[in-house]
Amino acid sequence: VKVFVGQSAYTDALEIDVSDLRHGAFRMVSGGDWLALIGHDVDYQPNQPWGRNRGHGAGEVQTAWEELSGTYTICPMRNSWRSRHRQGGDDSLGWEHDSGGSFNAVAAFLHTLGVRWYMPGPLGEVVPELSSISLPSVEETVKPDYPLRYWFGAFFAYEPEEIMWEWRLGMNSGYEVLGAGMSVHGMRLIHGHPNMQENHPEYYALIDGKRDTSTHGTGHACFSSEGLAREAAKFARAVFDIYDEPAVSLWPQDGLRNCRCEQCAGKSASELVWGFIDRVARDLYTTHPDRLITGGAYASYQRPPASIERFSPNVTVFISNVGRPVPFPVLHPRAMARDLREMLGISLGDWNEQARSNFGQPGKTFWSAPGLDHLTLYVNSRFLWDAGQDVEKLMDEYYTLFYGPAAGEMRAAFELAQAAYPRDQHHQPRPGMIDLAERVRFVEMLHRARASAGDSVYGERIDLILSELQPLEDLRHAAEVAQQREDMPVYSKLLNLSGGKWDAARNTFELDGRITEPFWHCWDGGGTPLSDAVTGRRPEHAARFWTRWYNGEFYVGFRCEDDMSQLNAATTRDQDLALLEGDYVEMLIETDYHSHYRIAVNPAGAILDRDMGAPEDDRVRWRSNANVAVYHGEDYWSVELRIPVVFEREGAMDPYHYLVGRPPSHVRSQAFPWHFNVGRVRVREGRRQVAAFSPTGEDDFDDTFRFAQMYMRN
């Protein structure tokens, strides 16, 4: 028996036609003594100029792009080298954008023999023992229901076995739909060039009276700027003409801050972002009607703008409806299946981003939570190919094959996880808000399933899941913390969600560090004093703090009495750990969704942000996007902070920016208040003087057991 893989002189002689196959489609055809597994195969090669490495892309390629395009923008192919896999010098996997229809045919044939790839590596494989394999009688053409089937980050970051797993499930890069350049956050390429930042500050967001040309290296865009719209259209035409790309992204960069200029003021993020995309798309439709302009319904601009009745026909939207994992499994195989079934014929497919970590192995990157995430992703891959299949049948097979004697218990645990999500007023799940008792119960069920699995591969799979969750003893400890906090101080001066009935003077704010406006004092009076963190008595140098909640932002003010000739500002640089060696004030805050954030500011106005609840690799990446102002008086220094806060859906989409949570309830009996502590550190001659709202008994205030409770009253 001869097995022909891919197009060749043999398959040509057999007149097996592959001309109508695209997006990884394939054919399985057999004869009396042969089997052909053949598909749409393309060895990708980018147009010139493209970056072969980091230095080449930033130098020669960038220069060539500027000359060809006539723009001062960033070349979309500058980082093309990242699309070619070179793990450990191994170039055998080729380009991310290679199309392997014949590979898909081989995987599909193995699937008919009972092989399953539920997770990367040998632990995730199910391979039946067969004494022989029959030559099938088959003539089948298989085309995917969705052309775009992309799990971002794997190819240029992950190990080969994880990439092979994705390919065996029929995933692709989707470059035939989106192109090979930057498919998301493409605006960074347009306003991230130093020349643009220097010569056109009017293209950038006006925030606190200054044009932001530098945040994250790109600045934030003013989406009312007609000049920026012209630059975006010129950039897109160059991409279409030079690289023959099918699409250009006008998706804003992460961590968007709204411009406050006269043209932008009063408009929502959705009105600004989508209004800009639609204007540019209409311009481009006149010259390139067959190309797509893409953007993301994401974060603060997730909802469609009421100001646009109908988009330009070339606008294509990424609908971002699920965020990153939280410390509880976000399992939604049925929702995934239903979504893909109902979007068939409307959507082009899925573009998913997977969290990754090096797990302490320098030079390597792995998928962070394969044990918890693989079921949803497996269902995703299957329904992208065949959206009409029965999800319950697929899951029945999964539990039986993957967990063996523990199948029933694992099904019960996963069903509990899906049912445990509380819902918001829009009936959307809030997976970060799982009740501690439910979380303990879930992990206990996994331990019982582990006992049933015994010393087997099924037990190893459950061990992996358990390793990705908080240990049972830690969850029980968290329950202790929650109980102990019931006796902690209560802070209930956080007032006024939106201004509402209050007069304009009370809701007028200028970020100047002074804390003098009625904005602060009509609610909090003289502020709330801090006590010595060790003794609980009045500190040697008094300090107070104020808070406000207004228009979706959290405001914090500090006033620190001091001898101003001896201030100890150890650094003037943001995110410099040296800040903690001198004088500073700090807000430690655990929202109803996330535990916990820290935001520290010193007398020089330098800020240090940390997400203490994130994995070690991601902790330092987080930015509150707080605006800071510091004022020096005769015998005191003061700080004002304006901190944007987003709900969990938006925060889960963009986990490296913003406080994530909802306003703490004004009802004491509500299940999800915020918890916090506020502190001030003064360092003189090597001695730390520490004050806090909730004293800890030590010269520090980062003790989550001692966090106070925060509620809102109207």
Side-chain angles (χ1 to χ4, degrees):
V1 173
K2 295 173 285 295
V3 180
F4 303 119
V5 178
Q7 188 174 8
S8 66
Y10 300 100
T11 59
D12 291 344
L14 292 168
E15 298 183 347
I16 300 174
D17 184 19
V18 296
S19 61
D20 63 338
L21 303 182
R22 293 186 65 202
H23 308 301
F26 60 87
R27 299 192 69 196
M28 292 192 293
V29 185
S30 65
D33 63 350
W34 57 269
L35 172 67
L37 304 172
I38 184 172
H40 176 227
D41 300 322
V42 175
D43 288 330
Y44 172 78
Q45 184 70 20
N47 289 352
Q48 297 287 355
W50 62 273
R52 290 166 173 77
N53 54 55
R54 192 181 300 274
H56 182 236
E60 180 182 330
V61 169
Q62 177 62 31
T63 299
W65 162 256
E66 291 172 12
E67 292 176 354
L68 288 169
S69 67
T71 70
Y72 283 112
T73 55
I74 296 173
C75 176
M77 297 297 184
R78 189 170 74 169
N79 292 331
S80 290
W81 56 274
R82 298 180 76 189
S83 296
R84 193 166 181 83
H85 197 267
R86 300 181 185 276
Q87 289 281 2
D90 178 8
D91 200 25
S92 62
L93 294 183
W95 287 92
E96 178 179 37
H97 307 303
D98 290 347
S99 179
S102 299
F103 186 100
N104 294 338
V106 172
F109 178 64
L110 291 172
H111 194 273
T112 67
L113 302 179
V115 178
R116 298 292 182 270
W117 297 281
Y118 290 119
M119 203 168 58
L123 188 62
E125 295 179 349
V126 174
V127 183
E129 294 185 8
L130 302 176
S131 58
S132 64
I133 297 174
S134 299
L135 176 65
S137 176
V138 61
E139 185 168 352
E140 184 178 9
T141 299
V142 179
K143 297 181 179 180
D145 281 346
Y146 289 91
L148 174 59
R149 307 179 301 278
Y150 187 42
W151 293 341
F152 169 75
F155 195 84
F156 61 79
Y158 289 174
E159 296 301 295
E161 70 176 21
E162 294 177 324
I163 297 168
M164 291 298 291
W165 174 67
E166 294 194 17
W167 282 354
R168 286 165 175 158
L169 295 180
M171 303 303 287
N172 66 3
S173 77
Y175 89 94
E176 293 171 302
V177 175
L178 297 176
M182 180 174 279
S183 52
V184 297
H185 302 303
M187 283 298 297
R188 293 169 51 213
L189 303 180
I190 298 168
H191 60 78
H193 195 289
N195 184 282
M196 195 84 75
Q197 294 163 342
E198 181 178 353
N199 294 310
H200 293 285
E202 72 276 12
Y203 294 173
Y204 296 83
L206 184 68
I207 299 174
D208 293 322
K210 297 179 181 178
R211 294 287 178 176
D212 183 357
T213 61
S214 60
T215 300
H216 310 311
T218 65
H220 288 287
C222 170
F223 289 104
S224 295
S225 169
E226 290 305 319
L228 183 61
R230 288 191 295 272
E231 296 284 0
K234 187 175 182 180
F235 169 83
R237 288 189 172 97
V239 173
F240 294 148
D241 295 341
I242 295 169
Y243 293 113
D244 196 27
E245 290 280 83
V248 163
S249 168
L250 297 185
W251 190 330
Q253 76 281 22
D254 268 333
L256 177 71
R257 295 299 304 275
N258 277 13
C259 177
R260 299 172 185 266
C261 75
E262 185 177 344
Q263 290 75 27
C264 293
K267 296 180 181 178
S268 69
S270 283
E271 289 178 292
L272 293 170
V273 170
W274 289 107
F276 179 87
I277 290 174
D278 188 58
R279 290 196 306 277
V280 177
R282 290 180 186 279
D283 182 5
L284 292 167
Y285 193 65
T286 63
T287 57
H288 296 80
D290 60 333
R291 309 301 170 96
L292 301 179
I293 309 303
T294 69
Y298 182 75
S300 58
Y301 44 96
Q302 182 185 19
R303 297 188 179 278
S307 55
I308 299 176
E309 183 175 345
R310 189 177 185 85
F311 281 109
S312 178
N314 52 342
V315 171
T316 300
V317 183
F318 287 76
I319 301 177
S320 303
N321 56 356
V322 176
R324 274 70 162 185
V326 294
F328 191 81
V330 183
L331 303 169
H332 43 233
R334 293 187 181 90
M336 180 72 75
R338 182 179 64 250
D339 191 38
L340 290 172
R341 184 171 57 249
E342 295 181 0
M343 293 296 288
L344 187 60
I346 302 171
S347 170
L348 293 169
D350 274 6
W351 192 106
N352 298 325
E353 184 172 2
Q354 305 308 315
R356 51 191 183 268
S357 173
N358 66 8
F359 296 110
Q361 300 184 44
K364 293 182 177 290
T365 309
F366 302 92
W367 177 19
S368 292
L372 289 172
D373 292 345
H374 72 265
L375 172 57
T376 299
L377 290 175
Y378 178 77
V379 171
N380 176 242
S381 71
R382 298 299 82 204
F383 274 73
L384 285 166
W385 277 86
D386 178 9
Q389 63 186 293
D390 185 345
V391 68
E392 299 302 331
K393 182 179 178 181
L394 194 72
M395 291 170 63
D396 287 346
E397 180 186 79
Y398 163 75
Y399 287 119
T400 300
L401 295 179
F402 208 58
Y403 299 112
E409 289 162 303
M410 288 302 295
R411 180 197 296 271
F414 279 15
E415 292 291 332
L416 170 71
Q418 294 175 75
Y421 303 152
R423 304 275 168 169
D424 64 15
Q425 69 269 32
H426 302 295
H427 306 289
Q428 296 293 331
R430 303 182 71 194
M433 306 303 301
I434 305 298
D435 185 77
L436 266 174
E438 292 293 326
R439 295 170 66 182
V440 171
R441 183 181 168 203
F442 173 70
V443 176
E444 288 174 342
M445 293 174 74
L446 291 180
H447 278 284
R448 288 195 292 271
R450 176 65 184 87
S452 298
D455 188 13
S456 66
V457 67
Y458 309 114
E460 291 180 45
R461 290 164 179 162
I462 300 171
D463 281 339
L464 178 62
I465 295 172
L466 285 168
S467 74
E468 296 168 356
L469 291 165
Q470 287 180 275
L472 189 55
E473 57 269 25
D474 287 359
L475 287 170
R476 288 170 175 161
H477 172 76
E480 279 183 52
V481 171
Q483 185 175 8
Q484 185 166 330
R485 282 176 173 172
E486 288 297 313
D487 299 324
M488 290 299 100
V490 174
Y491 178 82
S492 59
K493 296 181 181 178
L494 180 67
L495 301 165
N496 187 12
L497 272 172
S498 60
K501 62 184 179 181
W502 307 106
D503 59 73
R506 293 175 172 180
N507 292 316
T508 300
F509 174 77
E510 179 182 355
L511 190 77
D512 57 12
R514 294 172 180 263
I515 322 179
T516 55
E517 300 102 330
F519 179 89
W520 297 105
H521 297 285
C522 62
W523 308 113
D524 233 356
T528 301
L530 303 185
S531 304
D532 186 283
V534 178
T535 66
R537 302 190 185 100
R538 178 183 174 88
E540 182 179 347
H541 294 83
R544 293 177 172 272
F545 76 98
W546 291 256
T547 63
R548 277 291 309 271
W549 182 289
Y550 184 63
N551 281 348
E553 294 181 304
F554 183 47
Y555 293 78
V556 185
F558 298 89
R559 178 182 169 117
C560 303
E561 311 298 333
D562 215 324
D563 178 350
M564 297 301 290
S565 66
Q566 297 182 13
L567 286 184
N568 183 356
T571 182
T572 59
R573 297 184 303 171
D574 291 344
Q575 313 309 327
D576 186 348
L577 281 173
L579 182 150
L580 303 179
E581 298 172 5
D583 299 348
Y584 64 93
V585 291
E586 184 166 20
M587 167 69 76
L588 303 168
I589 195 153
E590 174 181 314
T591 70
D592 62 330
Y593 183 79
H594 189 81
S595 176
H596 67 280
Y597 304 104
R598 68 182 300 184
I599 305 172
V601 180
N602 75 359
I607 187 170
L608 180 73
D609 297 313
R610 291 292 184 267
D611 179 354
M612 305 306 291
E616 193 68 33
D617 292 348
D618 294 337
R619 185 170 294 180
V620 300
R621 295 180 61 185
W622 180 76
R623 297 290 178 267
S624 65
N625 273 359
N627 295 105
V628 181
V630 172
Y631 176 75
H632 291 189
E634 290 186 6
D635 57 358
Y636 72 94
W637 59 281
S638 54
V639 177
E640 291 180 341
L641 283 162
R642 181 172 58 214
I643 309 169
V645 182
V646 299
F647 284 1
E648 58 266 29
R649 284 172 64 83
E650 180 179 341
M653 294 172 202
D654 186 2
Y656 301 125
H657 301 92
Y658 310 120
L659 259 67
V660 182
R662 296 174 183 240
S665 171
H666 67 281
V667 181
R668 196 61 217 271
S669 62
Q670 289 285 328
F672 303 112
W674 286 11
H675 293 87
F676 81 108
N677 208 352
V678 169
R680 184 250 182 117
V681 174
R682 186 175 184 271
V683 179
R684 295 295 181 275
E685 299 178 352
R687 175 173 169 253
R688 281 168 53 92
Q689 302 167 43
V690 183
F693 172 68
S694 179
T696 61
E698 300 178 3
D699 66 345
D700 200 354
F701 40 86
D702 191 4
D703 179 351
T704 55
F705 268 103
R706 304 293 301 177
F707 276 15
Q709 304 169 68
M710 179 182 288
Y711 295 89
M712 176 183 298
R713 73 167 186 239
N714 294 321

